[in-house]
Amino acid sequence: MRIAILGAGPIGLEAGIASLQNNCEVTIFERGEIAQHIDLWGHVRMFTPFGWNHTQAGKELILRENPKHEFPSDSDYITGQEYRESYLLPLAMLTPLSKHIQLETEVIHIGKMGIWKSDDHLAEKRKQNPFRLLIRDNKGAEKIVLADLVLDCSGTYRYHRWCGEGGIPALNERSAERWIAYGLEDILGKQKNNYANKSVLVIGDGYSAATTICSLANLAEDYPATWTIWLSRRSKSTPLPRLSSDPLKERDKLAARANHLATRGEGNLEYHGQSIIESIETAGADKGFSIQVQCAGKPVHYFVDRLIANVGYQPNRQLFQELAIDLPDSDLPTLIQKEPNFFVLGAKSGGRNSRFLLKQGYDQIREIFNLIQKKKGLYPLR
C-alpha cells in the first residue's frame, strides 16, 4: 500500500512510524522543515504536559537508537521549541523514518486518476483508482506522485483568518496583510524591541489573544510607555469564557489572568468588547496603522504603532477541492470522509476548532491503522 502523508509535524511523523510498522510504502511530504509550524510559536509554553504530547512507541524508537537521549518528564510543561528539539527532531532523524521524508516539497493539488469530482457515476472506480498528487520541490520543479491512501496532517497554522465582519477581510486589510502580525509574536524575547514602548492593538477573543495580552502586560512592567488596546467581538465584559472544571489548568490560568487584566485595566491595557473591525490601513513597515472600528455600535478610530490579529486559523481546502472532502467547524473532528481512502488527521480534521489536542491526533492514527488491519472503512486497494 502506497501511503502519502502531508506534513512532517507531530501527527505526520507518528503516522509515518505507524505506516512503516504496518509494512506500507510511505512518503512524508513537508513544504518546509520538520515541525516548522511549531517552530513559529516555539517560545510559548504548551497547555498540556509532555506526557500528552508523545507516544510510547515514538519514545521507545528514539531510545533504541540513542539510549542516552534525555526526555522531559511526562508532567513537565515545556515550550514548543523544547518539544520540537527533545522529541520531534529526534523522531524525524530515526533511521527507518528519515529516508521517507521529503523536505521543502509542497503538495499543491490532489485528485483521482481518471476521475473528476463531478463523475458521480464512477463511484466504484473512485474506490479503486489511486490518488494523483501534484508536488513541487524547492527549485520549482513539478511532478505527479501516485498514492493508494492519503493522510493529510498539514495542520492550519499557515492560513490565518481575517479581521472583518462575517470572517472576510476588513477594508484594505489585504493590502496591509504583510505588516500585520497574525501569529504568536515572541514579545518578551527576540521581538521585544518591536513592541517595547509602542502602542499595540490586539484583535481576538481566544487563547492566542490571551497569550499576547499577558505578554504585553509583562512587557509594560519594564517599558511603561507600552500601551495595549484589546478588541473583541464578544459582548460580555470578560473576553474569554472559563471552562467548567477545565482539565488543562495552565489554559484556565491564562484565561483567568487575561480576563483580570481586561476587567481591571491593569498592565497598561484597555479592553473593548462588541468591536467590529471595518477598515485597516497602513503606509508600510513602521508607519503605524489607522483602524476604523464599530465599538458597541459607535464609530471609533484608532492609530497605533503595531497590530496583532490573533483571529485564528483555517484549513486549506483548495488542496483537495477536486475530492469529496467535508471538514467540520465543531468540537467533533471528522475522520471518515466520503472520499475513499483519504483521511484528514490532526488539527485540520477539526476545521476551525482551535481546541484540538495532540493526543486526539494520536488516537486518530491508531484508529486509521486499526481500520487498515481489519479492512474496515477502507475500500480494496490495488
Side-chain angles (χ1 to χ4, degrees), residues 348-367:
K348 193 172 184 177
S349 66
R352 299 184 183 205
N353 170 30
S354 61
R355 294 180 182 174
F356 193 89
L357 301 178
L358 286 176
K359 69 174 187 175
Q360 292 176 272
Y362 299 150
D363 289 341
Q364 290 177 331
I365 295 170
R366 283 188 284 271
E367 185 175 347

Side-chain angles (χ1 to χ4, degrees), residues 6-271:
L6 282 55
I11 307 304
L13 293 174
E14 297 284 358
I17 289 174
S19 299
L20 293 175
Q21 290 175 334
N22 283 271
N23 299 315
C24 299
E25 179 184 330
V26 62
T27 304
I28 301 175
F29 299 100
E30 168 56 54
R31 69 180 299 273
E33 300 297 328
I34 299 297
Q36 184 167 294
H37 288 174
I38 288 180
D39 195 40
L40 295 175
W41 54 264
H43 57 283
V44 176
R45 195 165 301 280
M46 301 173 76
F47 290 140
T48 51
F50 178 66
W52 288 31
N53 299 321
H54 71 79
T55 65
Q56 191 61 32
K59 197 172 181 179
E60 290 174 357
L61 286 171
I62 293 171
L63 289 174
R64 187 179 302 171
E65 289 199 3
N66 184 5
K68 295 184 179 181
H69 183 80
E70 295 184 2
F71 294 99
S73 168
D74 279 356
S75 60
D76 286 348
Y77 289 84
I78 60 177
T79 66
Q81 188 63 40
E82 290 169 336
Y83 172 54
R84 182 175 184 260
E85 293 176 356
S86 66
Y87 183 68
L88 298 179
L89 293 181
L91 198 66
M93 290 187 288
L94 289 173
T95 301
L97 184 63
S98 60
K99 63 183 179 180
H100 295 276
I101 302 174
Q102 294 188 18
L103 299 178
E104 298 184 342
T105 305
E106 182 176 10
V107 179
I108 305 170
H109 287 287
I110 305 174
K112 269 288 178 77
M113 177 177 284
I115 305 174
W116 277 249
K117 188 173 184 177
S118 56
D119 292 339
D120 295 333
H121 62 291
L122 298 176
E124 289 302 316
K125 190 175 180 181
R126 181 176 289 279
K127 298 175 185 177
Q128 299 288 345
N129 287 18
F131 294 94
R132 300 179 74 246
L133 283 71
L134 174 62
I135 67 171
R136 181 168 56 205
D137 64 21
N138 59 355
K139 296 180 180 178
E142 296 184 357
K143 68 176 182 179
I144 295 293
V145 173
L146 301 183
D148 301 306
L149 187 142
V150 175
L151 303 179
D152 185 351
C153 310
S154 58
T156 62
Y157 195 78
R158 181 185 171 196
Y159 302 95
H160 67 77
R161 291 156 74 175
W162 297 99
C163 296
E165 186 173 7
I168 70 173
L171 292 174
N172 302 311
E173 181 181 356
R174 289 167 58 88
S175 300
E177 181 182 12
R178 61 184 291 194
W179 294 289
I180 300 172
Y182 289 95
L184 282 165
E185 297 284 275
D186 191 2
I187 292 168
L188 299 176
K190 60 184 179 182
Q191 293 168 313
K192 178 189 293 185
N193 292 338
N194 197 41
Y195 293 97
N197 293 325
K198 298 290 194 302
S199 58
V200 187
L201 190 142
V202 179
I203 304 171
D205 51 24
Y207 296 108
S208 292
T211 299
T212 296
I213 290 301
C214 292
S215 294
L216 287 168
N218 289 341
L219 186 67
E221 293 179 3
D222 295 326
Y223 299 88
T226 306
W227 189 263
T228 304
I229 302 165
W230 186 5
L231 302 183
S232 164
R233 62 188 177 91
R234 293 188 186 275
S235 58
K236 296 182 178 180
S237 58
T238 53
L240 274 77
R242 300 280 297 279
L243 302 179
S244 177
S245 301
D246 191 341
L248 303 181
K249 301 304 180 184
E250 294 300 312
R251 180 172 65 184
D252 190 55
K253 284 166 60 177
L254 174 67
R257 180 161 188 249
N259 286 341
H260 177 85
L261 291 169
T263 55
R264 299 292 183 90
E266 297 179 2
N268 289 2
L269 169 70
E270 58 179 90
Y271 168 73

